[in-house]
Amino acid sequence: MDKIKVFVEYLHENEIKKAVILKKENINYFLERYPPNFSVLVFEGEEGILYVPKLDYEMAKKYEKDNLRVEIFEKWEDIFEGCDGIEETLPIKFLKHISKDYKIISDKIKEMRMIKNKSEIKLIKNAAEISDKAVKYIMENLENIGNKTENELAAEIEYVMKKNGSIRPSFDTIVISDKKTSYPHELPSNEIIKNILLVDIGAVYEGYCSDITRTFLLNPSKKMEEVYDIVSNAKKEVEKHLKEGVSAKELDEIAREFMGEYKEYFIHSLGHGVGVEVHESPTLSIKAKEDVVLKEGMVLTIEPGIYLKDEFGVRIEDLYLVKKNGFKKLSNAKY
Amino acid sequence: MDKIKVFVEYLHENEIKKAVILKKENINYFLERYPPNFSVLVFEGEEGILYVPKLDYEMAKKYEKDNLRVEIFEKWEDIFEGCDGIEETLPIKFLKHISKDYKIISDKIKEMRMIKNKSEIKLIKNAAEISDKAVKYIMENLENIGNKTENELAAEIEYVMKKNGSIRPSFDTIVISDKKTSYPHELPSNEIIKNILLVDIGAVYEGYCSDITRTFLLNPSKKMEEVYDIVSNAKKEVEKHLKEGVSAKELDEIAREFMGEYKEYFIHSLGHGVGVEVHESPTLSIKAKEDVVLKEGMVLTIEPGIYLKDEFGVRIEDLYLVKKNGFKKLSNAKY
């Protein structure tokens, strides 16, 4: 069913007269299109109203449909007048415009966003195909990779993605090698690539994200090969259990147990939902506040990793669509 | 003087015991380095404490200095305990952790951020040199530009910037041609470039941004040439008045008046401050709530534009450092 209709019904049921949405990703979610940089989505009555600056009005008119109108933004007082439904991320500076009896609408949006509809899955699949192309590019150039700096390869990867239709990387592209791979989130530098190469990248297509990691063994030590196999097999072990009905914590636990003595070096969660944000619900972590039982239509990453301080790190990550009896892999780049 | 020291003094003077900073750009400002994706900066006593996830701790330790420590983030309750100074952008979900007697620290940070110190100017200059290189690349390929799509050229531009050290574009790269130029914020498509080409781009260097726009007359009509000259000369007219002491509104007014009958098609403000955000204070607009008198050390864009619906648009933008008796241009790409 139409997302706007579902949300309007939720508002009626909860006696919320007017809801204001500022978070760009939530607006993207309701439009299923990348919104203008400044936009505000207001729900009132049976429809959504997208407010944009005057200079973007003509451009944004293309987004109009049955229950979505586009209007010119004038002032915050107008936007918030009568508003009683707000996001938990609303900046506190806007509180002065709002009556004290507001309700938080974020949980409903989070819940809706967790299950992807067909057109969303198509957009994420598009994004995943774009990042696959970047991995393929690396594979085709693997022999010469030792002549490049991390920054150079990062630039080439982003070029391949942009040329294939990505608006921008879904997060700061990670292309790191050698000892730096032991830092999960290090950024590329002007150092020459050597020994081991970790590439964690994503594309954005109409606002929908992809996320994939490959670790390339260029000139590996025995230990690197050993750790690589453990990470790779931990991921396969998780895949055996990945389907509707399994709990997110359980999956994380499976990966950790599989790692044996290395499990203390798996210093982040197993994965996360992906949609209009590259990190969204559910979080696949034994440390998460609440557990989530996976459902068909969820799109998430599985990304086990082992990081040995002052030595190296390995992470392998793919993107999955959860199905009733298993999953469909959305990222498919070979290494 | 050291930024952290200045801010700590401000907190003491205003009897704020503990200030919490979540906005990534503000953290970037105090570090003068690009921070890990999740980080929280807390000011307490005489020092700043940067909280990062455990997995980024080793990486972030490099940021430590005299009055800046790095700690592992555990939970929000700890961060906000005793906090009485918050940003106006704090998401309302955190309000439950905070005593009702908080003060807003954003105005002070905004004020500090407006005047750039020497090392910040150097970083912005670096970013501007990177985007200059992308414009130079277009100039060198101008003869073949009619064979490319907007998306292709956008990919090439971002490649040139990334290869030259940009972390990412400072905003979604605008590469649009023909009628689409009449929408100031349209995004690139798979259409072939023709007639007139508007390129609005920026780089990010250690978190500091640049911003430059060039409009290329490929196969221009007489009217395009006429409008181009008006925009170009409006910018030169503004430059005559650009120095410490002039008011932001006055500059915008000068550009508008210069445009004569075209002024109604100048549908955005004349410019904006640039630093760790590509749009920050001051805003150079007759419609701004408050006027700002320019001061030495401010870095801002001047970007007049004229947009004729269903026809075309022209915008020309450069980046300037305000000086006592004039300015220094930070973007220098020729067209």
Coordinates of all heavy atoms in Angstrom, one line a residue, chain A residues 288-325:
Chain A
A288 N 22.8 -4.8 21.2 CA 21.7 -3.9 20.9 C 20.7 -3.9 22.1 O 20.6 -4.9 22.8 CB 21.0 -4.4 19.6
K289 N 20.1 -2.7 22.3 CA 19.1 -2.6 23.4 C 18.0 -3.6 23.2 O 17.6 -4.3 24.2 CB 18.6 -1.2 23.5 CG 19.4 -0.3 24.3 CD 18.7 1.1 24.5 CE 19.8 2.1 25.0 NZ 19.4 3.5 24.7
E290 N 17.4 -3.6 22.0 CA 16.3 -4.5 21.8 C 16.7 -5.5 20.7 O 17.4 -5.1 19.7 CB 15.1 -3.8 21.3 CG 14.4 -3.0 22.5 CD 13.4 -2.1 22.0 OE1 12.5 -2.5 21.2 OE2 13.4 -0.9 22.4
D291 N 16.2 -6.7 20.8 CA 16.5 -7.7 19.7 C 15.4 -7.5 18.7 O 14.3 -7.0 18.9 CB 16.4 -9.1 20.3 CG 17.0 -10.1 19.4 OD1 17.7 -9.7 18.4 OD2 16.9 -11.3 19.6
V292 N 15.7 -7.9 17.5 CA 14.7 -7.8 16.4 C 14.7 -9.1 15.7 O 15.7 -9.8 15.4 CB 15.2 -6.7 15.3 CG1 14.3 -6.7 14.1 CG2 15.2 -5.3 15.9
V293 N 13.4 -9.6 15.5 CA 13.3 -10.9 14.7 C 13.2 -10.5 13.2 O 12.4 -9.6 12.8 CB 12.0 -11.6 15.2 CG1 11.7 -12.8 14.3 CG2 12.1 -12.0 16.6
L294 N 14.0 -11.1 12.4 CA 14.1 -10.7 11.0 C 12.8 -11.1 10.3 O 12.1 -12.1 10.6 CB 15.3 -11.4 10.3 CG 16.6 -11.0 10.9 CD1 17.7 -11.4 9.9 CD2 16.8 -9.5 11.2
K295 N 12.4 -10.2 9.3 CA 11.2 -10.4 8.5 C 11.5 -10.3 7.1 O 12.4 -9.6 6.7 CB 10.2 -9.3 8.9 CG 9.3 -9.7 10.1 CD 8.2 -8.7 10.1 CE 7.4 -8.9 11.4 NZ 6.6 -7.7 11.7
E296 N 10.7 -11.0 6.3 CA 10.8 -10.8 4.8 C 10.7 -9.4 4.4 O 9.9 -8.6 5.0 CB 9.7 -11.6 4.1 CG 9.8 -11.5 2.6 CD 9.2 -12.6 1.8 OE1 9.8 -13.7 1.8 OE2 8.1 -12.5 1.3
G297 N 11.6 -8.9 3.5 CA 11.6 -7.5 3.1 C 12.6 -6.7 3.8 O 12.9 -5.5 3.3
M298 N 13.3 -7.2 4.8 CA 14.4 -6.4 5.4 C 15.6 -6.5 4.5 O 15.8 -7.6 3.9 CB 14.7 -7.0 6.8 CG 13.7 -6.6 7.9 SD 14.2 -7.2 9.5 CE 12.9 -6.6 10.5
V299 N 16.3 -5.4 4.4 CA 17.6 -5.4 3.7 C 18.7 -5.1 4.7 O 18.6 -4.1 5.4 CB 17.6 -4.4 2.6 CG1 18.9 -4.2 1.9 CG2 16.5 -4.8 1.5
L300 N 19.7 -6.0 4.8 CA 20.7 -5.8 5.8 C 22.1 -6.3 5.3 O 22.2 -7.1 4.3 CB 20.3 -6.4 7.1 CG 19.6 -7.8 7.1 CD1 20.7 -8.8 7.0 CD2 18.7 -7.9 8.3
T301 N 23.1 -5.8 6.0 CA 24.5 -6.3 5.7 C 24.9 -7.3 6.7 O 24.4 -7.3 7.9 CB 25.5 -5.2 5.8 OG1 25.6 -4.8 7.2 CG2 25.1 -4.0 5.0
I302 N 25.7 -8.3 6.3 CA 26.4 -9.2 7.2 C 27.9 -8.9 6.9 O 28.4 -9.0 5.8 CB 26.1 -10.6 6.8 CG1 24.6 -10.9 6.9 CG2 26.9 -11.6 7.8 CD1 24.0 -10.9 8.2
E303 N 28.6 -8.4 8.0 CA 30.0 -8.0 7.8 C 30.9 -8.3 9.0 O 31.3 -7.5 9.7 CB 30.0 -6.5 7.6 CG 29.3 -5.6 8.6 CD 29.5 -4.1 8.4 OE1 30.7 -3.7 8.1 OE2 28.6 -3.3 8.5
P304 N 31.2 -9.6 9.1 CA 32.1 -10.0 10.2 C 33.5 -9.4 9.9 O 33.9 -9.2 8.7 CB 32.1 -11.5 10.1 CG 31.7 -11.9 8.7 CD 30.7 -10.8 8.3
G305 N 34.3 -9.2 10.9 CA 35.6 -8.6 10.8 C 36.5 -9.0 11.9 O 36.0 -9.2 13.1
I306 N 37.8 -9.1 11.7 CA 38.8 -9.4 12.7 C 39.9 -8.4 12.6 O 40.4 -8.2 11.5 CB 39.3 -10.8 12.7 CG1 38.2 -11.8 13.0 CG2 40.5 -11.0 13.6 CD1 38.6 -13.3 12.9
Y307 N 40.2 -7.7 13.7 CA 41.2 -6.6 13.6 C 42.3 -6.8 14.6 O 42.1 -6.8 15.8 CB 40.5 -5.2 13.9 CG 39.3 -5.1 13.0 CD1 38.1 -5.5 13.4 CD2 39.5 -4.5 11.7 CE1 37.0 -5.4 12.5 CE2 38.4 -4.4 10.8 CZ 37.1 -4.9 11.3 OH 36.0 -4.8 10.4
L308 N 43.5 -7.0 14.1 CA 44.7 -7.3 15.0 C 45.5 -6.1 15.1 O 46.2 -5.7 14.1 CB 45.4 -8.5 14.5 CG 44.6 -9.8 14.3 CD1 45.4 -10.9 13.7 CD2 44.0 -10.3 15.6
K309 N 45.6 -5.5 16.2 CA 46.3 -4.2 16.4 C 47.7 -4.3 16.0 O 48.4 -5.2 16.3 CB 46.2 -3.8 17.9 CG 46.5 -2.4 18.2 CD 46.4 -2.0 19.7 CE 47.3 -0.8 19.9 NZ 47.3 -0.4 21.3
D310 N 48.2 -3.3 15.3 CA 49.5 -3.1 14.7 C 49.9 -4.2 13.7 O 51.0 -4.3 13.3 CB 50.6 -3.2 15.9 CG 50.4 -2.0 16.8 OD1 50.0 -0.9 16.3 OD2 50.7 -2.1 18.0
E311 N 48.9 -5.0 13.3 CA 49.1 -6.1 12.3 C 48.3 -5.8 11.1 O 48.7 -5.1 10.2 CB 48.9 -7.5 12.9 CG 49.9 -7.9 14.0 CD 49.7 -9.3 14.4 OE1 50.0 -10.2 13.6 OE2 49.1 -9.5 15.5
F312 N 47.0 -6.2 11.1 CA 46.1 -6.0 10.0 C 44.7 -6.3 10.4 O 44.5 -6.8 11.5 CB 46.5 -7.0 8.8 CG 46.4 -8.4 9.2 CD1 45.2 -9.1 8.9 CD2 47.4 -9.1 9.8 CE1 45.0 -10.4 9.3 CE2 47.2 -10.5 10.2 CZ 46.0 -11.1 9.9
G313 N 43.8 -6.1 9.5 CA 42.4 -6.4 9.7 C 41.8 -7.0 8.5 O 42.2 -6.7 7.4
V314 N 40.7 -7.8 8.7 CA 40.0 -8.3 7.6 C 38.5 -8.1 7.8 O 38.0 -8.4 8.9 CB 40.2 -9.9 7.4 CG1 39.3 -10.5 6.4 CG2 41.7 -10.2 7.1
R315 N 37.8 -7.6 6.8 CA 36.3 -7.5 6.9 C 35.7 -7.9 5.5 O 36.3 -7.6 4.5 CB 35.9 -6.1 7.3 CG 34.4 -5.9 7.3 CD 34.0 -4.6 8.0 NE 34.2 -3.4 7.3 CZ 35.2 -2.5 7.6 NH1 36.0 -2.7 8.7 NH2 35.3 -1.4 6.9
I316 N 34.7 -8.7 5.6 CA 33.9 -9.1 4.3 C 32.5 -8.8 4.6 O 31.9 -9.2 5.6 CB 34.1 -10.6 4.0 CG1 35.6 -10.9 4.0 CG2 33.6 -10.9 2.6 CD1 35.9 -12.4 3.8
E317 N 31.9 -8.1 3.6 CA 30.5 -7.6 3.8 C 29.7 -7.8 2.5 O 30.1 -7.4 1.5 CB 30.5 -6.1 4.2 CG 29.2 -5.5 4.4 CD 29.3 -4.0 4.7 OE1 30.2 -3.3 4.1 OE2 28.5 -3.5 5.5
D318 N 28.5 -8.3 2.7 CA 27.5 -8.3 1.6 C 26.2 -7.8 2.1 O 25.9 -7.6 3.3 CB 27.4 -9.7 1.0 CG 28.5 -10.0 0.0 OD1 28.5 -9.3 -1.0 OD2 29.3 -11.0 0.2
L319 N 25.3 -7.5 1.1 CA 24.0 -6.9 1.3 C 23.0 -8.0 1.0 O 23.0 -8.6 -0.1 CB 23.9 -5.7 0.4 CG 22.8 -4.7 0.6 CD1 22.8 -4.1 2.0 CD2 22.8 -3.6 -0.4
Y320 N 22.0 -8.2 1.9 CA 21.0 -9.3 1.7 C 19.6 -8.8 1.8 O 19.3 -7.9 2.7 CB 21.2 -10.3 2.8 CG 22.6 -10.9 2.9 CD1 23.7 -10.3 3.5 CD2 22.9 -12.2 2.3 CE1 25.0 -10.8 3.5 CE2 24.1 -12.7 2.3 CZ 25.2 -12.0 2.9 OH 26.4 -12.6 2.9
L321 N 18.7 -9.4 1.1 CA 17.3 -9.2 1.2 C 16.8 -10.4 2.0 O 17.0 -11.6 1.5 CB 16.6 -9.1 -0.1 CG 15.1 -9.1 -0.1 CD1 14.5 -8.0 0.6 CD2 14.6 -9.2 -1.6
V322 N 16.2 -10.2 3.1 CA 15.7 -11.4 3.9 C 14.4 -11.9 3.2 O 13.5 -11.1 2.9 CB 15.4 -10.9 5.4 CG1 14.8 -12.1 6.2 CG2 16.6 -10.4 6.0
K323 N 14.3 -13.2 3.1 CA 13.1 -13.9 2.5 C 12.6 -14.9 3.6 O 13.2 -15.2 4.5 CB 13.5 -14.6 1.3 CG 14.3 -13.8 0.2 CD 13.4 -13.0 -0.7 CE 13.1 -13.8 -1.9 NZ 12.1 -13.0 -2.8
K324 N 11.3 -15.3 3.2 CA 10.7 -16.3 4.1 C 11.6 -17.5 4.5 O 11.7 -17.8 5.6 CB 9.4 -16.8 3.5 CG 8.2 -15.9 3.6 CD 7.2 -16.4 4.7 CE 6.0 -15.5 4.7 NZ 6.3 -14.1 5.1
N325 N 12.2 -18.0 3.4 CA 13.0 -19.3 3.7 C 14.5 -19.1 3.4 O 15.1 -20.1 3.2 CB 12.4 -20.4 2.8 CG 11.0 -20.7 3.1 OD1 10.7 -21.0 4.3 ND2 10.1 -20.6 2.1

